[in-house]
Amino acid sequence: MIQLQQLPPLSLYVHIPWCVRKCPYCDFNSHEARGEAPQQAYVQALIRDLEQALPQIWGRRIQTIFFGGGTPSLLEPALLDQLLAQFRALLPLALNAEVTLEANPGTVEASRFAEFKASGINRLSLGIQSFNDDSLQRIGRIHDAAQAKKAAEIALDTFDQVNLDLMYALPQQTLQAALADIRQAIALKPQHLSAYHLTLEPNTAFHHNPPPLPDDDTSATMQEAIEDMLAEAGYGHYETSAFALPGKQCRHNLNYWQFGDYLGIGAGAHSKLSFPDRILRQARFKHPATYMQSTETNTHIESERKLTRNDLGFEFMMNALRLTNGFPVALFQECTGLPISTLDKALRQAEAKGLLLRDHLTIAPTQMGQRFLNELLQMFLEPD
Ligand SMILES: C[S@@+](CC[C@H](N)C(=O)[O-])C[C@H]1O[C@@H](n2cnc3c(N)ncnc32)[C@H](O)[C@@H]1O
Ligand code: SF4
């Protein structure tokens, strides 16, 4: 049994499960929209889902909303408007709530972006991946480099807060090509950049049929050079893959990494919800049709589990140690209800191996800890 003195900040995640085409590296819960996706019915299901979840978040204010996917920019603007209007009617939203929408450059039109903004979207996250036509083709994207650049320009003209997603260590990519992508991204002056090392996820076309990838040494060199280039351009490296201009960090993702709460609605969405005496994780049914149907009978939650003391230590660290500057020691007890001494043995072990630094106020991964994050996290798997 744990006891929380106060509940952490609460975010809302909304999953939109369709894409124009499935990318061969992607293991997100996204499905090719063959023909017309049943958008109207899905929006109704999302609203039912939220209504049924309300008792679990009663009275709590939503700090951030994130429409993720899939490709949320495929949503008809009128439907997104309807959704946001319902959210406002059902939930207390913080005055300055951050409201992000993910978009694919192949689905961008200036007029759509203007409509999204008018509905209340104030941050846009664009899946650029690369500005190189060959790279884009090799990773099966639906857009080319010119469309990627144009989409970023429209996004930056429309929104005050824009993130560009880039991936590196792409098939046959050279160090020069990876750095040219970052240089082009910086030239566009987005407020936020995410640079992900391409990973071969199980159950993807790339996993079954691996393309020729840069070797480990080359991709490590890419990572270092990318970090240096972004630092020089004024982007602070605040999480494993996230970089931002001062004050422009993504508040929604920060809430995940600081072990805040989130209600996830939509197909396959995950939630983490705290109550004074317990913390729950939930997952909704993954398949859009199953999900939509089961919202009619309030049976759309496929699994729910209460986190144990051991889960809490590990799961907190799995998130918070992604943050380059670590976390305030007091945050651990605030979010888990457990004293930091629960982790003493693992903390001492990690410190002795040079993977972690701590003083009375802060716990942070060292540079080596950031590089070998999995080894560092292993130590928190079975605390005493
Ligand atoms: C849900 S997608 C966001 C937007 C939109 N669906 C798109 O792709 O344009 C989230 C991001 O995760 C990254 N990503 C997806 N699969 C990845 C993988 N296997 N390895 C590394 N990054 C990946 C991509 O940069 C992608 O933009
Ligand atoms: S568009 Fe984005 S979510 Fe859809 S398959 Fe590609 S990477 Fe995955």
Side-chain angles (χ1 to χ4, degrees), residues 173-380:
Q173 191 179 42
T174 60
L175 174 62
Q176 285 73 18
L179 292 183
D181 278 349
I182 301 293
R183 204 170 296 119
Q184 170 64 83
I186 292 171
L188 288 161
K189 301 197 175 73
Q191 290 73 26
H192 194 287
L193 271 162
S194 305
Y196 300 106
H197 186 299
L198 174 71
T199 48
L200 295 190
E201 303 287 350
N203 299 319
T204 61
F206 270 6
H207 197 260
H208 298 305
N209 239 329
L213 295 174
D215 60 34
D216 286 353
D217 281 350
T218 311
S219 61
T221 311
M222 282 179 183
Q223 183 176 339
E224 274 173 36
I226 288 170
E227 288 172 8
D228 290 349
M229 197 181 252
L230 288 171
E232 204 164 309
Y235 290 86
H237 184 193
Y238 70 101
E239 184 268 347
T240 311
S241 311
F243 303 80
L245 294 179
K248 305 293 181 183
Q249 301 179 339
C250 174
R251 285 168 47 206
H252 185 86
N253 287 341
L254 261 182
N255 191 43
Y256 291 146
W257 298 321
Q258 292 172 341
F259 214 54
D261 274 4
Y262 48 95
L263 172 67
I265 61 171
H270 290 239
S271 305
K272 171 197 166 257
L273 295 171
S274 303
F275 301 84
D277 62 347
R278 66 194 189 284
I279 299 176
L280 298 180
R281 283 204 184 277
Q282 292 175 343
R284 272 119 171 98
F285 279 107
K286 269 187 100 170
H287 200 276
T290 317
Y291 164 76
M292 282 193 281
Q293 207 174 22
S294 57
T295 57
E296 285 173 17
T297 46
N298 196 3
T299 51
H300 53 289
I301 296 180
E302 186 181 28
S303 63
E304 177 173 288
R305 72 185 175 94
K306 188 169 121 184
L307 297 183
T308 64
R309 292 167 75 95
N310 272 0
D311 292 338
L312 281 169
F314 177 69
E315 293 193 16
F316 178 95
M317 286 298 173
M318 195 169 71
N319 285 286
L321 288 178
R322 298 182 65 89
L323 293 167
T324 318
N325 292 330
F327 60 91
V329 177
L331 188 71
F332 182 75
Q333 180 142 18
E334 272 168 43
C335 296
T336 64
L338 302 172
I340 191 74
S341 55
T342 333
L343 300 179
D344 233 15
K345 186 174 157 206
L347 286 171
R348 267 189 276 121
Q349 205 184 357
E351 239 182 331
K353 293 206 167 170
L355 298 172
L356 188 131
L357 282 174
R358 66 166 160 163
D359 57 28
H360 290 304
L361 292 177
T362 313
I363 296 179
T366 58
Q367 282 221 329
M368 190 158 67
Q370 291 169 35
R371 189 120 310 164
F372 299 101
L373 189 58
N374 285 340
E375 283 77 347
L376 172 55
L377 292 176
Q378 283 293 321
M379 298 178 180
F380 293 93

Side-chain angles (χ1 to χ4, degrees), residues 13 15-16 18-19 23-30 66-73 101-107 125-129 141-143 163-168 170 194-201 204 206:
Y13 174 78
H15 192 73
I16 308 295
W18 292 289
C19 292
C23 303
Y25 54 85
C26 176
D27 79 336
F28 286 83
N29 183 27
S30 59
F66 195 101
F67 290 88
T71 305
S73 50
L101 181 99
E102 279 187 339
N104 180 313
T107 64
S125 177
L126 254 185
I128 296 281
Q129 322 310 353
R141 295 292 290 180
I142 57 168
H143 56 89
N163 166 59
L164 305 182
D165 277 344
L166 290 173
M167 294 194 297
Y168 63 94
L170 299 177
S194 305
Y196 300 106
H197 186 299
L198 174 71
T199 48
L200 295 190
E201 303 287 350
T204 61
F206 270 6

